[in-house]
Amino acid sequence: MGMAKAEVGAQQGRTSSTRSRVAQSNSHPDGRLSPALKQNNQDGVDSTKKPLLLLALIFLTAAAIMFIIYINFPQLSEEERGKIKLPKDMDDAKALGQVLSKYKETFYVQVMVAFFSTYIFLQTFAIPGSIFLSILSGFLYPFPLALLLVCLCSGLGASFCYMLSYLVGRPIVHKYLSEKAAAWSDNVNKHREHLLNYIIFLRITPFLPNWFINITSPVINVPLGVFFVGTFIGVAPPSFIAIQGGTTLYQLTTAGDAVSWNSVLVLMLFAGLSLLPVFLKNKLKQKFQ
């Protein structure tokens, strides 16, 4: 028993000595961090600093393009200019819809370009507000055109966000979203054989925020083609509801008014249908094995 205690004491002494040497190697005699550890910390800061600066530059460039589109819009009165802004609530959406509907017939292309560009801008930089534009599209355009516009804008905007994350977002995702991204990566790997259906399902359902899917997809190796097609198809059912609500724009008080229990049931039905091919494929595979 005495020998065991002595052995444990010796082991603890060696561990303490090792820790002491490590601490000494990372610091100067006066207690400051060693140059090597300082360099590691600095590298960690630089790995996110450069991507953030590049992201800011890209954002400013996109904002400048939006400003050029704005100044080339038809001549507006002072009151109308105050209504041309990114909608934050239904009141803003109604005011914007009032101005755009007035100029839509005479300046059809300019209004379409402004709508298209604004929607993609919001999606690309994960800025809230695209739901109001989806509702507004139902007010401005015939239903088939509005649905095509919203699906195309959502697909392109999400894909631009994907490419932006691929270009500058990896260090940011690894630093701030590493655990959530790792968990989703495991789910993606489980559904790798039927990834398109999985992306469609996620777009229809609210299980993961769209901005999170857009930013982390390139980091966990979701192919861009599958990502775009899955987004284009997957946003159609929720957009269907928003656009339908836009036909009665001035009766809405919040974006949630466009959603009813019937629309929730429709979304659940579409979510189930998106997984039906996967279910049938697995059944056939089991049958022929």
Side-chain angles (χ1 to χ4, degrees):
M1 186 74 176
M3 290 178 64
K5 286 183 177 179
E7 223 174 281
V8 171
Q11 180 65 28
Q12 290 176 342
R14 286 194 295 272
T15 302
S16 176
S17 176
T18 302
R19 288 175 178 170
S20 177
R21 287 197 299 272
V22 170
Q24 289 173 3
S25 67
N26 286 337
S27 62
H28 289 290
D30 60 359
R32 290 177 296 164
L33 290 176
S34 69
L37 196 56
K38 278 186 176 181
Q39 184 62 42
N40 288 339
N41 291 340
Q42 186 62 39
D43 290 343
V45 172
D46 290 341
S47 67
T48 55
K49 185 178 179 181
K50 291 178 181 178
L52 286 173
L53 289 174
L54 182 56
L55 179 62
L57 179 62
I58 294 171
F59 177 82
L60 291 174
T61 303
I65 294 172
M66 292 301 301
F67 180 72
I68 292 171
I69 293 172
Y70 174 76
I71 61 177
N72 283 281
F73 206 70
Q75 188 68 35
L76 303 174
S77 66
E78 198 66 34
E79 182 184 357
E80 290 172 336
R81 284 186 178 277
K83 296 177 181 179
I84 299 293
K85 59 182 178 180
L86 298 178
K88 298 178 182 178
D89 52 39
M90 282 308 305
D91 289 335
D92 288 347
K94 290 175 183 178
L96 181 60
Q98 184 181 10
V99 176
L100 294 182
S101 63
K102 177 181 176 181
Y103 292 93
K104 185 189 66 172
E105 299 301 328
T106 310
F107 301 95
Y108 189 86
V109 174
Q110 289 94 324
V111 172
M112 176 77 77
V113 169
F115 178 89
F116 193 81
S117 304
T118 304
Y119 204 118
I120 290 178
F121 177 79
L122 294 179
Q123 289 282 312
T124 300
F125 297 100
I127 301 172
S130 57
I131 179 61
F132 297 110
L133 294 184
S134 297
I135 294 172
L136 195 58
S137 69
F139 175 72
L140 294 174
Y141 301 108
F143 184 87
L145 178 58
L147 185 61
L148 176 62
L149 266 177
V150 171
C151 291
L152 185 59
C153 288
S154 296
L156 289 175
S159 297
F160 289 150
C161 186
Y162 174 108
M163 290 186 281
L164 202 58
S165 179
Y166 181 84
L167 181 65
V168 300
R170 288 175 181 268
I172 299 171
V173 170
H174 288 148
K175 183 172 182 180
Y176 298 107
L177 298 169
S178 58
E179 291 184 7
K180 292 182 179 179
W184 192 46
S185 178
D186 292 339
N187 287 329
V188 167
N189 289 331
K190 291 176 185 176
H191 299 88
R192 186 68 65 174
E193 292 183 8
H194 41 81
L195 192 54
L196 177 60
N197 298 88
Y198 184 54
I199 296 296
I200 293 172
F201 175 79
L202 288 177
R203 292 301 192 183
I204 295 174
T205 58
F207 295 129
L208 281 177
N210 283 329
W211 65 265
F212 178 80
I213 297 173
N214 298 346
I215 291 172
T216 57
S217 287
V219 179
I220 62 176
N221 299 318
V222 174
L224 179 57
V226 172
F227 178 85
F228 172 78
V229 175
T231 300
F232 183 89
I233 298 173
V235 299
S239 300
F240 182 98
I241 295 168
I243 294 167
Q244 192 66 38
T247 59
T248 56
L249 176 66
Y250 288 104
Q251 297 176 20
L252 303 179
T253 54
T254 66
D257 290 343
V259 181
S260 64
W261 282 109
N262 287 337
S263 60
V264 172
L265 291 174
V266 170
L267 287 181
M268 291 174 63
L269 176 62
F270 276 110
L273 289 174
S274 70
L275 297 179
L276 185 59
V278 178
F279 176 77
L280 294 176
K281 182 180 178 181
N282 290 336
K283 282 292 183 183
L284 288 172
K285 187 184 291 186
Q286 292 174 6
K287 184 176 180 180
F288 288 105
Q289 280 179 348

